[in-house]
Amino acid sequence: IESSLAQLYKHRDADGFHYQGSVSRGLTGWVRLYQGRPAEAIALIEESIAPHERTGARGSIPAFLNLLANARFIGGDVTAALATIATAITEAERMDQRLHLATLYRTRARLVIAAGGDPALSEALHRRAYDLALRCSVPLFELESATGLAEHLVATERADEARAILAPIAARFTEGAATPPLRAARSALAAANAPRT
């Protein structure tokens, strides 16, 4: 996949299709991140964002900024990750991109905790993500946002509330059991169901 994407963005750039090239470059960064190469991922994602800004095609910028925030976090720079996700949220709110916002608020909630921040702020962000996902009526986003909120609730010793939120949504999914979102949901439910000590 990585070599195909690299060839794609080189050809797109050479042919003058800079937007398509930038998307391919960003996706290559995503692959590098999952390969455990965050420094390379950061460089590629940053390169992918610049053409969006130059051409005015800003619709994808929040998604790539979310990816960049995660890459910076995995690379060990939580401060830069928080600044990046704040920029992403500002962009998405300006364009009223609710589908992006649910994911962005969830990312920010996790980064707040990673930075040693206020659990109450993290919970408020998770709840905002969950509310946005419900209003968008996209089942996968509902599941991911409910999982993030449930994980937070379990971590703050409110397993019953976590189960009440996540179990009904997870039960609606009758296929795709091996996919990361459903595995994460099952893991959160298992933690909520674990005996308390």
Side-chain angles (χ1 to χ4, degrees):
I1 292 174
E2 181 184 358
S3 61
S4 298
L5 285 168
Q7 288 299 315
L8 183 60
Y9 71 68
K10 287 174 186 171
H11 287 304
R12 293 296 189 209
D13 286 346
D15 294 339
F17 294 100
H18 301 296
Y19 174 78
Q20 290 84 356
S22 70
V23 170
S24 301
R25 188 174 280 104
L27 293 175
T28 304
W30 176 78
V31 171
R32 299 263 175 95
L33 182 60
Y34 278 88
Q35 291 173 333
R37 297 151 70 183
E40 294 174 41
I42 290 166
L44 282 163
I45 298 163
E46 287 175 338
E47 287 176 23
S48 79
I49 291 170
H52 289 76
E53 293 175 333
R54 282 198 308 270
T55 62
R58 304 186 71 85
S60 299
I61 286 180
F64 282 111
L65 285 171
N66 184 61
L67 184 57
L68 181 58
N70 281 286
R72 286 176 167 163
F73 170 64
I74 291 169
D77 193 343
V78 181
T79 302
L82 279 166
T84 302
I85 206 65
T87 301
I89 289 170
T90 298
E91 281 281 323
E93 285 180 337
R94 185 177 63 77
M95 294 183 282
D96 195 28
Q97 292 186 328
R98 294 180 186 179
L99 293 179
H100 284 310
L101 282 168
T103 300
L104 297 173
Y105 281 119
R106 194 170 68 251
T107 298
R108 185 173 174 212
R110 290 178 170 150
L111 289 173
V112 164
I113 294 299
D118 183 1
L121 172 59
S122 178
E123 181 171 338
L125 291 164
H126 274 301
R127 289 190 182 278
R128 188 159 186 191
Y130 180 56
D131 180 60
L132 282 165
L134 290 176
R135 283 192 276 146
C136 289
S137 299
V138 177
L140 180 60
F141 287 177
E142 292 176 27
L143 179 70
E144 290 177 330
S145 295
T147 299
L149 178 55
E151 289 168 344
H152 178 85
L153 292 168
V154 169
T156 53
E157 301 183 354
R158 287 173 287 166
D160 292 343
E161 190 178 351
R163 265 193 313 275
I165 289 169
L166 182 55
I169 293 173
R172 291 176 8 213
F173 288 79
T174 57
E175 47 187 13
T179 60
L182 280 168
R183 287 202 311 266
R186 284 198 308 274
S187 177
L189 284 171
N193 288 322
R196 300 177 193 178
T197 56

